């Protein structure tokens, strides 16, 4: 193989339940890719093991040697210090706090490694290869289990002073709102993410005098029958998924529609803050919840329009992700080419 093969990287996206990975060239063409679920909820040493195995398999399956790889870019959930390559905190996995992931992986992989958070990686992927191509000031916002953002300013990722720029999920949109995992009240994440949908659906189910569901419950012993959410909840005991809420909403259930409209509206308020503060040319919305479609996204766009200064109207293109699950893998790998 010729020296042009030096232009290959490996991108690895470490999520809460899966490791997605790929080996690709500068145009974002995959030679080989993989996905595994074996490490879910594991401590760091097990995840490192899974990442090393993943990289070895990619090399073996593609016939590419280590010498032909420029480096490995890793995107990981949690607070990451980009400069030190340390996972500062991962709210779902306490074992990860202050774990030197980049250094550990460099030793094990014997390749240069770059580590960034999952939102930055996905933002970079969309900027280089997806819906953000050709933009200069771009924000990528996830509307998923959580709510995060990656910011590109003047065609460079903006990470902030301590690497936590873009934490839009913990901006307060209602100081009297529900308690957030961070200890504050009424964070955007308390309304606009999968967990928030679940909470709001349960609130609707409580059948208190003030809940919207009350008028559809008929005041009987059970709320069953009239709201689809109730039947969904009794089947799964506790958790009501976004898919279930979307299905109920699609069948016209008012409570479910209310939940989606509320989540969409707050997400739109979050987007309005982004437009107001950063004046991007493009905002890309990604993450699993966006698949719900207009029932969620129409209230979002409406709220965005209502909450920005008229001078900023139509200043930013609002686009859906083009790369979806590939954004994190492609972005993490492509960050190797951005090394200072
Ligand atoms: Zn919070």
């Amino acid at each position: 193989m010729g020296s042009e093969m030096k232009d290959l990287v490996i991108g690895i996206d470490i999520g809460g339940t899966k490791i997605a990975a790929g080996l690709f060239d500068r145009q974002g063409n995959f030679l080989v890719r993989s996905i595994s679920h074996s490490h879910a909820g594991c401590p760091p040493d097990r995840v490192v093991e899974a990442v090393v195995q993943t990289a070895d398999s990619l090399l073996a399956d593609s016939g590419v040697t280590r010498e032909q790889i420029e480096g490995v870019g890793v995107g990981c959930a949690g607070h990451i210090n980009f400069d030190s390559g340390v996972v500062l905190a991962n709210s779902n996995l306490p074992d990860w706090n202050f774990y030197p992931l980049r250094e550990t992986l460099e030793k094990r992989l014997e390749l240069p490694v770059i580590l960034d958070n999952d939102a930055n990686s996905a933002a970079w992927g969309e900027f280089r290869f997806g819906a953000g191509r050709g933009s200069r000031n771009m924000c990528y916002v996830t509307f998923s289990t959580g709510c995060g953002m990656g910011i590109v300013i003047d065609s460079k990722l903006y990470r902030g002073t301590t690497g936590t720029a873009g934490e839009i999920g913990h901006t307060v949109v209602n100081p009297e709102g529900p308690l957030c995992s961070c200890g504050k009240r009424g964070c955007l994440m308390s309304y606009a993410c999968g967990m928030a949908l679940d909470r709001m659906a349960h609130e609707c189910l409580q059948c208190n005098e003030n809940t919207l569901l009350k008028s559809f419950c008929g005041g009987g012993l059970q709320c069953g029958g009239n709201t689809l959410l109730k039947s969904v909840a009794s089947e799964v005991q506790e958790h009501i998924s976004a898919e279930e809420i979307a299905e109920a909403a699609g069948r016209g259930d008012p409570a479910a529609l209310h939940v989606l409209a509320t989540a969409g509206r707050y997400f739109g308020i979050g987007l309005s803050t982004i437009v107001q503060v950063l004046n991007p040319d493009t905002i890309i919305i990604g993450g699993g919840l966006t698949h719900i479609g207009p029932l969620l996204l129409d209230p979002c766009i409406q709220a965005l329009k209502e909450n920005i200064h008229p001078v900023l109207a139509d200043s930013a293109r609002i686009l859906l992700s083009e790369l979806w699950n590939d954004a994190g893998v492609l972005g993490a790998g492509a960050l190797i080419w951005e090394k200072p």
Side-chain angles (χ1 to χ4, degrees):
M1 292 183 198
S3 59
E4 73 276 7
M5 291 302 286
K6 284 278 185 191
D7 275 349
L8 297 172
V9 291
I10 289 175
I12 297 182
D13 183 15
I14 305 175
T17 60
K18 67 178 191 297
I19 293 176
L23 193 160
F24 57 92
D25 64 17
R26 275 187 184 265
Q27 283 70 49
N29 302 307
F30 284 107
L31 276 68
V32 62
R33 55 203 298 180
S34 74
I35 193 154
S36 77
H37 298 267
S38 55
H39 77 294
C42 286
D45 50 342
R46 291 274 301 281
V47 174
V48 164
E49 217 51 56
V51 167
V52 171
Q53 275 180 21
T54 296
D56 286 345
S57 303
L58 292 176
L59 291 170
D61 293 349
S62 62
V64 170
T65 65
R66 254 185 176 66
E67 292 67 39
Q68 293 169 316
I69 298 290
E70 282 195 49
V72 180
V74 178
C76 184
H79 290 284
I80 310 278
N81 186 305
F82 178 75
D83 293 325
S84 65
V86 170
V87 180
L88 298 177
N90 184 326
S91 51
N92 301 319
L93 300 164
D95 290 348
W96 280 85
N97 294 354
F98 300 104
Y99 187 79
L101 183 58
R102 189 183 71 205
E103 193 186 329
T104 309
L105 284 174
E106 275 186 337
K107 278 184 193 147
R108 292 294 310 276
L109 294 168
E110 298 174 345
L111 282 167
V113 172
I114 210 157
L115 174 69
D116 211 331
N117 72 50
D118 49 355
N120 284 353
S121 302
W124 195 248
E126 290 289 349
F127 179 75
R128 281 290 307 267
F129 306 112
R133 276 170 304 175
S135 86
R136 204 180 77 171
N137 300 309
M138 185 206 91
C139 296
Y140 169 87
V141 195
T142 48
F143 200 175
S144 133
T145 316
C147 175
M149 173 164 72
I151 305 167
V152 174
I153 294 178
D154 281 334
S155 305
K156 285 197 162 69
L157 266 181
Y158 177 76
R159 297 184 174 89
T161 305
T162 59
T164 62
E167 286 289 338
I168 187 85
H170 293 290
T171 53
V172 175
V173 291
N174 177 9
E176 278 92 47
L179 199 60
C180 178
S181 60
C182 73
K184 294 180 301 195
R185 285 196 172 274
C187 288
L188 181 58
M189 261 182 74
S190 312
Y191 297 100
C193 74
M195 291 177 287
L197 291 183
D198 185 22
R199 176 187 58 75
M200 290 190 286
H202 277 285
E203 280 175 9
C204 286
L205 282 173
Q206 284 171 1
C207 303
N208 296 327
E209 292 299 326
N210 298 326
T211 67
L212 188 69
L213 259 188
K214 179 69 180 174
S215 58
F216 302 99
C217 290
L221 287 173
Q222 286 196 321
C223 298
N226 293 333
T227 170
L228 293 167
L229 278 182
K230 181 63 186 180
S231 60
V232 167
S234 59
E235 273 169 31
V236 297
Q237 301 293 321
E238 288 176 1
H239 183 68
I240 306 178
S241 74
E243 289 79 10
E244 289 162 336
I245 295 167
E247 194 196 324
R251 291 159 71 178
D253 182 77
L257 287 165
H258 172 72
V259 169
L260 294 185
T262 304
R265 184 163 58 84
Y266 276 106
F267 193 67
I269 291 171
L271 296 186
S272 75
T273 304
I274 297 167
V275 170
Q276 205 68 46
V277 173
L278 291 174
N279 186 204
D281 55 64
T282 306
I283 292 180
I284 297 167
I285 306 174
L289 293 188
T290 48
H291 295 301
I292 291 172
L295 294 179
L296 189 68
L297 296 177
D298 287 353
C300 165
I301 299 300
Q302 179 76 19
L304 165 62
K305 286 179 176 163
E306 285 171 5
N307 288 284
I308 54 175
H309 193 283
V311 78
L312 286 162
D314 304 319
S315 62
R317 301 181 298 163
I318 312 293
L319 304 172
L320 289 180
S321 164
E322 272 182 25
L323 303 173
W324 299 106
N325 293 332
D326 288 340
V329 172
L330 286 168
L335 280 173
I336 286 289
W337 293 310
E338 301 302 312
K339 277 204 300 187

